[in-house]
Amino acid sequence: MRVEIWSDIACPWCYVGKARFEKALAAFPHRDEVEVVHRSFELDPGRAKDDVQPVLAMLTKKYGMSEAQAQAGEDNLGAQAAAEGLDYQTRGRDHGNTFDMHRLLHLAKEQGRQDELIQILYRANFAEERSLFIEGAERLVELAVEAGLDAAAVRDVLADPARYADEVRADEREAAQLGANGVPFFVLDRKYGVSGAQPAEVFTQALSQAWGARSPLKLIDEGGAEACGPDGCAVPQH
């Protein structure tokens, strides 16, 4: 069974939702038969690469709330994260463009290190004091190497804005086609969708339901057709 997760590194509920999903997945009896793929979704795709601002300033401008309201929201997120065993900096975080991170996640997918990289990027953005955005490419190289990627390969991708750009945009178009207008968005075997950072119990139910709904293969066999198998190929007798 395949589970696809559309998310953005700048999304705090994606950070929390991933932890809740993984709690459910860890207890799922068929865990070893579940493939998890992370898909790209930018919350702020129009933001310029060098446009970095404090999270509180972004929230007050985008949602028209006061700074006190924005800080209260961050404090609530910090408490939600802590309940899942996650660290969360409720003061001093910033916000920026995540397109390069999504491109690197596609590189990581090719090398089987996607989950490692996305978790490290979440940690860097939400749990560490250092900015994920201001330090630029070398910060991303450092984090990608920690995830097991080759530094030279990472620098090559970051130096060429076209590398994996089509893959990121394809993910985002597919999200729109599936009806996802926010993240995290979980799709199980292309049959069930779960929107938002639901409690682990909801993910447990979704995994069980999707697993049970898998259709067994229907074999169309008129009999007598030649085929090859572990013991070799059938030899025509006429």
Side-chain angles (χ1 to χ4, degrees):
M1 184 168 72
R2 169 180 280 200
V3 178
E4 297 162 278
I5 307 173
W6 272 264
S7 58
D8 191 11
I9 303 304
C11 165
W13 288 117
C14 295
Y15 178 49
V16 172
K18 182 176 186 292
R20 292 174 177 171
F21 169 75
E22 288 178 345
K23 184 180 294 184
L25 185 60
F28 187 55
H30 308 286
R31 167 66 186 93
D32 293 339
E33 297 174 75
V34 178
E35 176 192 13
V36 178
V37 178
H38 296 282
R39 301 291 192 190
S40 298
F41 189 108
E42 296 171 275
L43 289 173
D44 203 353
R47 180 175 289 273
K49 190 173 179 178
D50 59 353
D51 182 6
V52 181
Q53 67 179 144
V55 164
L56 292 187
M58 180 273 294
L59 292 173
T60 56
K61 181 179 180 181
K62 186 172 184 177
Y63 299 107
M65 59 178 62
S66 68
E67 185 168 321
Q69 289 172 319
Q71 186 59 66
E74 281 291 283
D75 290 339
N76 176 58
L77 276 162
Q80 298 266 1
E84 304 304 329
L86 301 172
D87 291 329
Y88 190 98
Q89 293 280 339
T90 61
R91 304 289 190 278
R93 289 197 310 108
D94 56 19
H95 177 80
N97 183 288
T98 58
F99 187 59
D100 282 348
M101 299 174 207
H102 285 292
R103 294 196 299 118
L104 289 180
L105 284 166
H106 279 278
L107 169 66
K109 180 176 180 289
E110 289 184 352
Q111 299 185 15
R113 311 298 295 176
Q114 193 185 41
D115 194 70
E116 289 83 355
L117 180 58
I118 198 169
Q119 191 59 39
I120 286 170
L121 292 172
Y122 279 143
R123 184 202 71 203
N125 187 39
F126 293 108
E128 297 182 357
E129 292 185 5
R130 290 174 64 187
S131 171
L132 184 56
F133 302 98
I134 292 175
E135 295 185 35
E138 281 308 303
R139 175 69 166 142
L140 292 181
V141 172
E142 173 190 326
L143 295 169
V145 168
E146 184 182 343
L149 302 184
D150 176 71
V154 173
R155 290 192 178 96
D156 285 346
V157 170
L158 293 175
D160 181 359
R163 292 278 302 278
Y164 300 105
D166 289 345
E167 288 83 348
V168 174
R169 298 307 182 210
D171 277 357
E172 293 173 337
R173 287 193 300 272
E174 197 165 12
Q177 291 165 2
L178 290 169
N181 53 19
V183 284
F185 188 71
F186 302 77
V187 176
L188 293 80
D189 255 4
R190 291 298 170 110
K191 294 180 180 178
Y192 297 91
V194 178
S195 181
Q198 299 285 349
E201 294 77 14
V202 173
F203 290 119
T204 296
Q205 179 183 355
L207 286 166
S208 298
Q209 191 168 346
W211 184 267
R214 293 177 310 141
S215 300
L217 183 68
K218 295 181 180 179
L219 185 64
I220 299 174
D221 185 1
E222 297 299 331
E226 292 82 2
C228 295
D231 297 326
C233 297
V235 178
Q237 300 300 309
H238 302 287

